[in-house]
C-alpha cells in the first residue's frame, strides 16, 4: 500500500491505509485480505513517542528505557529484553530512527488491541462486506541467524498458529511436530515487498486463506520462559549472580537426566534428596551455577560435613 | 506448484517442478521468479534417506544420528544441534515422517550446491530466457517464539540478506540496524501457501524483485558462534562440564564490563592480569562457570594462597 502519509499522534491509521489501498494503482481491500501494519505507525498514531531527557543522546536514552525491562543480554551496543507482554526484542523494540523530532518510539502498549481496533475499522470499509485480518508487525533479530525478520507483535481475525500435529501426511502417517507460525510468516512475507527507507508501512496479503480460521493473539506466539530451551543469552549467569536480575522461574525438581548431568559436572557430586552434596567448594560453586543455568532456583549452604546445594 | 509426484532417489527435481508449474492451472515459471523447494524433496532426490538400525524405533534412530553433531540442547524429547554446515536445528533437521519405508531423511549435504543445480536446470527451461532464484527451505523452531517457520538452508541467484544499513530513511536520517533476512522471509512466505500434509513441495514466489540482486549462500544467514549472543540453551553448562562437549570458542580477553560482572558474581573476586582470584572454593567454581557461560575458555587452579581461574 503506497502513498500513506507520515503518521502523527491521533491519526486514524485504518482510514489512511484504506484510502491509500483504494487509490488508483493500489491493491484495494477485499474480504479475506490480511493487512500487515508496521508497529511503528501504530505506535506513532497511539502517541507512544517519548522525548529523550535533556541533552541525552537518542541511543543512550533507548538503552536507559530498554534496561527498565527484564534483561536477557546486555552488551555495550545492544540490550535484549523481554517486554511486560513477553515479547523478546533488541532494545525493547524502541525505535530511534525515522523520527524528525529525535523522539524515541516505544512499541504499542497492547498490540492485540491495536490490531483488533484496526480490523474493526477496516471491516466497516469493505464495500462488499466480509472480514479482514490484521497483523501488527515488529522487526526482530534471531538467535543463531543473521539478519532481521518481521514477526507478529499483535494480531486479529486470523490464527497465530496452524496446528498440523497429528494430521496425516501424504503416506497416511501422522505429522509429529508441525505447529506453523502463520502470523509470523505473514509478517515476514509483507516485509518482502517494502523497504524501510521507502516508507511502506502497510501491506495487503491476499489469498493466504487464514482469515476466519481463528482469532489468535500475539501471546500465542510466545514460548513461556519455563519451557523455553533457550531462555538466556551469553553472560546471563554472571548477571544473575552479580545483580539478582532474571531469577530462574522453572518449577523443580530437576529430571533424573539433569540430576545426573549436574552431579557429573560438579566433579562427582552426589544427590541426597533435593540437595547436591559436593566434595569441595569449587564443585559446589559449579553445581550451583549449573542448576541456575538449567532454570532452577538453587542455594549454596556450608554444612558441618562440607557443601550442599539445595534446589527450589 | 501442485501436482508434483512423490520424489524418489535419482529423480530430476527441476524437471518435476518445471513440468508441474507449466501444467494447466499452474503458475508457470517466469524470469525473476524465486522457486522455493522443501529440503525434503531435494534430500530424497539426492538419496539422503538412511534406514534405522535393526529393530530401532525411528525416533530413537533420529536421536542417535542427531547426537553425532555439536549438541546445543539435549532433552528427552528433542536434541538441538548445529550441523557441520552451521545450521542450528532440532533433531538436526532429520525427518522421520512422510517416509513409507520408515527411513530417516537427512538434510541435503550441500544445500547451496543443490539450489545452484536447480537454478541452472530451471533457467534452461525458461521459454523467454532470463533468470530465476532458488531457495532450499527447512522448517525450524525458534528461541522464545512458539511455532515453526521455514528458513533458507541453501539458495542461489538471490541475495541472502538486504543491507539497508546507512541508507537514509524518510526523514533523511540513516537507518541504523536493518539487515533484512530476505531469503528466510521468502522461505516463510512460500510456507504460507502449502501445508505439509497436502504435499506441495515447491512454491513460485513472483515479484519479490530479489533475483539478480546478488548471489547469496546459506552461510550468509548463520551468525558465527563467536558473535552470537545466544549460543547455548538451558543446561549447556552442565553438559559442557560433564562431557566436554561444545567447548567455548570465543577469543579472549573478556571486556572490562564482563570482568567486573564476573568478579561481582564470584562473591567479590578480583582480577590479577588474566586470572580471577577467588576468596574461596565456591566463588572459584562460580567464576569458572560464569566465564564458560560467557563463551571463554577457563581453567581452575589451586594455588598456595587460594583459588585462581585463568582465562584462555
Amino acid at each position: 500500500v503506497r502513498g500513506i502519509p507520515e503518521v502523527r499522534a491521533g491519526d486514524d491509521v485504518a482510514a489512511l491505509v484504506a484510502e491509500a489501498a483504494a487509490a488508483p494503482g493500489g491493491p484495494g481491500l477485499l474480504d479475506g485480505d490480511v493487512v500487515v501494519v508496521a508497529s511503528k505507525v501504530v505506535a506513532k498514531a497511539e502517541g507512544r513517542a517519548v522525548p529523550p531527557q535533556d541533552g541525552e543522546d537518542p541511543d543512550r536514552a533507548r538503552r536507559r528505557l530498554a534496561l527498565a525491562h527484564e534483561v536477557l543480554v546486555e552488551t555495550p551496543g545492544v540490550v535484549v529484553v523481554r517486554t511486560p507482554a513477553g515479547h523478546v526484542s533488541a532494545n525493547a523494540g524502541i525505535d530511534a530512527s525515522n523520527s524528525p523530532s529525535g523522539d524515541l518510539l516505544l512499541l504499542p502498549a497492547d498490540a492485540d488491541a491495536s490490531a483488533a481496533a484496526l480490523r474493526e475499522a477496516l471491516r466497516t470499509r469493505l464495500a462488499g462486506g466480509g472480514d479482514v485480518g490484521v497483523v501488527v508487525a515488529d522487526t526482530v533479530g534471531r538467535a543463531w541467524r543473521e539478519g532481521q525478520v518481521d514477526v507478529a507483535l499483535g494480531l486479529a481475525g486470523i490464527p497465530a498458529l496452524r496446528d498440523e500435529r497429528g494430521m496425516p501426511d501424504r503416506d497416511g502417517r501422522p505429522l509429529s511436530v508441525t505447529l506453523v507460525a502463520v502470523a509470523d510468516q505473514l509478517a515476514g512475507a509483507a516485509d518482502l515487498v517494502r523497504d524501510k527507507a521507502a516508507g511502506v508501512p502497510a501491506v495487503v496479503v491476499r489469498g493466504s486463506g487464514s482469515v476466519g480460521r481463528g482469532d489468535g493473539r500475539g501471546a500465542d506466539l510466545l514460548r513461556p520462559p519455563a519451557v523455553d530451551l533457550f531462555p538466556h543469552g551469553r553472560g546471563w549467569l554472571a548477571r544473575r549472580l552479580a545483580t539478582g536480575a532474571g531469577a530462574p522461574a522453572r518449577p523443580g525438581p530437576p529430571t533424573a537426566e539433569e540430576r545426573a548431568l549436574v552431579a557429573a559436572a560438579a566433579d562427582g557430586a552426589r544427590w541426597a534428596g533435593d540437595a547436591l552434596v559436593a566434595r569441595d567448594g569449587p564443585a559446589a560453586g559449579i553445581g550451583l551455577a549449573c542448576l541456575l543455568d538449567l532454570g532452577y532456583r538453587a542455594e549454596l549452604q556450608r554444612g558441618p560435613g562440607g557443601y550442599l546445594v539445595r534446589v527450589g
Side-chain angles (χ1 to χ4, degrees), chain A:
Chain A
V1 182
R2 297 184 180 276
I4 296 175
E6 187 72 27
V7 171
R8 294 194 165 71
D11 278 354
D12 180 345
V13 173
L16 295 175
V17 170
E19 281 156 25
L29 193 59
L30 304 178
D31 181 34
D33 284 351
V34 177
V35 180
V36 180
V37 185
S39 63
K40 190 187 301 197
V41 299
V42 174
K44 278 186 183 173
E46 293 178 355
R48 298 281 291 164
V50 293
Q53 292 177 348
D54 277 353
E56 195 182 28
D57 171 81
D59 286 343
R60 181 167 293 271
R62 179 168 65 175
R63 186 177 181 89
R64 173 176 55 77
L65 292 165
L67 285 171
H69 299 88
E70 181 196 345
V71 176
L72 301 188
V73 174
E74 181 182 351
T75 75
V78 70
V79 182
V80 179
V81 306
R82 192 189 311 271
T83 68
H87 184 61
V88 175
S89 186
N91 298 321
I94 299 167
D95 191 29
S97 68
N98 280 64
S99 165
S101 63
D103 283 356
L104 299 146
L105 194 61
L106 309 181
L107 290 177
D110 181 345
D112 285 321
S114 307
L118 280 170
R119 176 190 177 206
E120 287 310 313
L122 289 169
R123 282 170 85 166
T124 63
R125 292 172 167 270
L126 282 178
D131 199 0
V132 296
V134 171
V135 173
V136 174
D138 186 35
T139 304
V140 298
R142 289 114 18 109
W144 314 300
R145 296 189 74 78
E146 280 287 6
Q148 286 108 44
V149 295
D150 274 21
V151 297
L153 191 65
L155 55 141
I158 59 167
L161 300 158
R162 184 176 71 223
D163 194 347
E164 298 184 347
R165 290 174 296 187
M167 288 173 61
D169 67 16
R170 277 157 66 123
D171 301 308
R173 290 169 45 117
L175 287 161
S176 52
V177 188
T178 307
L179 187 63
V180 182
V182 172
D184 281 347
Q185 294 191 144
L186 284 165
D191 191 47
L192 286 169
V193 297
R194 62 195 188 89
D195 57 75
K196 273 74 176 169
V200 180
V203 172
V204 173
V205 181
R206 186 160 290 154
S208 72
S210 54
V211 175
R213 295 287 184 87
D215 196 15
R217 301 176 59 239
D220 298 342
L221 291 155
L222 304 177
R223 210 181 276 256
V227 300
D228 197 337
L229 297 173
F230 295 89
H232 306 295
R234 165 172 287 159
W236 172 84
L237 187 62
R239 202 170 312 105
R240 155 88 186 109
L241 286 160
T243 69
R250 199 172 173 201
T255 65
E257 187 177 356
E258 288 169 342
R259 287 162 64 100
L261 208 52
V262 171
D267 200 14
R270 63 186 172 80
W271 285 90
D274 68 348
L276 182 75
V277 183
R279 72 171 71 173
D280 60 16
I286 286 170
L288 173 75
C290 288
L291 286 162
L292 293 176
D293 181 54
L294 279 161
Y296 299 110
R297 291 178 201 282
E299 195 181 23
L300 196 145
Q301 295 177 345
R302 285 156 219 237
Y307 293 91
L308 284 185
V309 184
R310 285 197 187 280
V311 182

